Amino acid sequence: MVTYSGKAKDVKVLNDKEVQISFRDSISAFDGIKKEELPDKGITSCLTSVKLFEILDGYGFATHYISKIDETQMLCKKVTILPVEVVCRNISAGSFCRRYGYEEGIRFEKPLIEFFVKDDEHHDPLITESVAVQMKLVTENEAILMEAITRAVNEVLIKIFDLISLQLVDFKLEFGKTTAGQLLLADEISADTMRLWEKKTGEKKDKDRYRQDLGDVIVHYKDILARLNAIQKIPKYMPLSTVQVIIRLRKSVLDPAGEVIFRSLSRKGFNSVESTRLGKSAEIVFNAVPSSELQSEIEEISAKILSNPLIEDFEFKIQHHSEKNEKEYVEEE
Ligand code: TMP
Ligand code: ASP
């Protein structure tokens, strides 16, 4: 069996479909320059990840997580990890402040999404979506879906941490692809991969305690886990995704309505108009989080219902609904 050893975890391939992820007691920062072994780090990170993956599963997110094997190991679906990490920021901190010179603690009006290349040699550089697509690290569809999923995860996690008096400052997600092409949330989601501040005091509870030598790292990691485990009811709400579909007549098809507009524009003196073609658009709201499955469903709807494939083409963009449009929380019975 092949085993890959990372900075804090080992991944053992069990078969074609499954891997076993083991969390060690290692902690590291600054691309591994600073590292240490901290007792109970493995258990706390594993159990926090298990808890958060189970919560996300419950909301319908597609994740690699299958089950907990024991306190330091999870059974997960085997995926190929995409070479791009997605960071979502609600409040300025960390590399954002270092890169641009802004102070820590600025609340963003709209959560910021950043892509980073997984490339230790170049210190995981920030990358634009267009470079990531151009260099074939991800497809355009994957980039759009990764952003929509990350925004939806952010809204869920903000609410979960708010219940336990913690502020979600930022977090990092990794995505993997199954052999069938399904995009799954992968890796871990723990105090190592997010920033959490105590709501009342602003005290740091996450890996910044280690990066900044604030001490009591595992005490705070354990406290986060204990608070997560103490949540009695996970709030239920309807996650929504909005999709804009644009349907166009194929280039080879005559468009008399577009022609009429063109002639009318020419008559009225709009001489810079070279041609016009009419299309249609549809906005569809789904009561589901963004996912590969949803993307396939939209493709089917667009091809079979919204367009006539003989004469029309379509394209679509999947977006996570912003919070204010979401249906109200429904209390779990
Ligand atoms: P950053 O401010 O260092 O860019 O980190 C943003 C968030 O992403 C923070 O919560 C830590 C997390 N993160 C990781 O989990 N792994 C990484 O390699 C990096 C760079 C960040
Ligand atoms: N550079 C990242 C951090 O400081 C990851 C790492 O090197 O462990 O968290």
Side-chain angles (χ1 to χ4, degrees):
M1 293 296 169
V2 194
T3 301
Y4 304 94
S5 214
K7 280 178 283 201
K9 300 186 290 294
D10 299 322
V11 180
K12 184 171 159 193
V13 179
L14 299 177
N15 54 53
D16 281 358
K17 294 229 152 55
E18 294 167 330
V19 295
Q20 172 183 305
I21 302 185
S22 310
F23 290 72
R24 302 194 314 267
D25 279 344
S26 320
I27 188 164
S28 70
F30 314 117
D31 299 325
I33 290 173
K34 180 173 175 175
K35 54 184 169 192
E36 223 170 294
E37 296 295 301
L38 295 179
D40 289 345
K41 160 76 165 49
I43 292 181
T44 4
S45 288
C46 179
L47 295 182
T48 304
S49 264
V50 163
K51 185 79 193 174
L52 291 173
F53 275 125
E54 285 177 352
I55 288 173
L56 293 176
D57 270 340
Y59 283 103
F61 289 98
T63 81
H64 72 153
Y65 173 78
I66 300 172
S67 62
K68 180 176 110 180
I69 297 172
D70 60 32
E71 294 202 311
T72 57
Q73 304 188 94
M74 341 188 265
L75 181 68
C76 292
K77 292 182 187 161
K78 185 170 175 281
V79 292
T80 307
I81 297 285
L82 297 183
V84 170
E85 299 182 342
V86 187
V87 166
C88 177
R89 302 180 189 273
N90 296 305
I91 297 172
S92 66
S95 77
F96 179 89
C97 298
R98 287 198 299 279
R99 191 161 40 250
Y100 303 116
Y102 290 113
E103 75 267 28
E104 189 175 88
I106 304 166
R107 180 171 285 283
F108 301 122
E109 263 175 42
K110 184 179 172 188
L112 273 180
I113 300 290
E114 291 175 340
F115 287 1
F116 291 88
V117 192
K118 281 170 71 77
D119 177 355
D120 276 344
E121 202 187 317
H122 295 94
H123 309 291
D124 292 355
L126 180 74
I127 190 171
T128 60
E129 184 184 317
S130 44
V131 175
V133 172
Q134 193 65 238
M135 299 320 289
K136 301 200 178 347
L137 303 181
V138 291
T139 65
E140 195 173 349
N141 254 355
E142 283 165 354
I144 291 170
L145 193 53
M146 282 158 76
E147 169 162 355
I149 294 171
T150 304
R151 289 191 183 280
V153 166
N154 186 41
E155 270 171 23
V156 167
L157 291 186
I158 286 176
K159 283 164 185 154
I160 296 295
F161 286 116
D162 188 62
L163 283 177
I164 53 175
S165 305
L166 295 171
Q167 208 170 28
L168 179 63
V169 175
D170 57 32
F171 62 94
K172 179 260 317 180
L173 293 180
E174 291 193 31
F175 291 85
K177 226 164 47 170
T178 63
T179 42
Q182 189 192 16
L183 199 66
L184 299 180
L185 281 174
D187 195 52
E188 67 173 287
I189 310 179
S190 69
D192 266 9
T193 64
M194 54 178 63
R195 288 193 172 89
L196 290 167
W197 294 349
E198 188 73 65
K199 228 159 52 180
K200 281 222 178 79
T201 61
E203 187 182 31
K204 294 177 178 175
K205 307 281 292 176
D206 53 78
K207 193 158 133 183
D208 271 351
R209 298 205 69 85
Y210 178 68
R211 295 189 190 97
Q212 300 171 9
D213 295 317
L214 300 174
D216 288 335
V217 179
I218 299 304
V219 172
H220 287 274
Y221 277 31
K222 282 186 175 168
D223 181 42
I224 295 170
L225 177 60
R227 291 195 211 182
L228 279 173
N229 283 332
I231 299 177
Q232 298 278 337
K233 284 186 203 157
I234 299 298
K236 230 179 157 181
Y237 82 107
M238 186 78 80
L240 299 176
S241 300
T242 306
V243 180
Q244 305 284 347
V245 188
I246 296 175
I247 299 118
R248 294 194 185 88
L249 275 174
R250 289 182 192 271
K251 281 273 179 291
S252 54
V253 176
L254 278 180
D255 176 10
E259 270 296 308
V260 169
I261 293 173
F262 177 68
R263 272 186 262 119
S264 154
L265 289 173
S266 305
R267 266 200 311 277
K268 290 192 163 72
F270 292 99
N271 296 323
S272 56
V273 177
E274 176 64 24
S275 68
T276 54
R277 290 177 74 77
L278 270 190
K280 48 186 179 177
S281 81
E283 184 180 285
I284 311 180
V285 179
F286 290 87
N287 56 2
V289 294
S291 68
S292 302
E293 284 71 26
L294 189 62
Q295 229 169 22
S296 307
E297 201 177 319
I298 299 160
E299 253 161 48
E300 191 183 340
I301 291 172
S302 304
K304 293 194 179 151
I305 313 281
L306 299 176
S307 71
N308 175 352
L310 286 179
I311 55 167
E312 288 168 326
D313 278 328
F314 63 86
E315 63 178 63
F316 62 85
K317 188 165 180 183
I318 188 167
Q319 278 172 321
H320 172 59
H321 233 75
S322 71
E323 186 179 5
K324 48 185 171 299
N325 297 326
E326 250 160 33
K327 289 188 190 164
E328 283 299 297
Y329 273 69
V330 185
E331 268 296 305
E332 206 160 21
E333 319 74 53

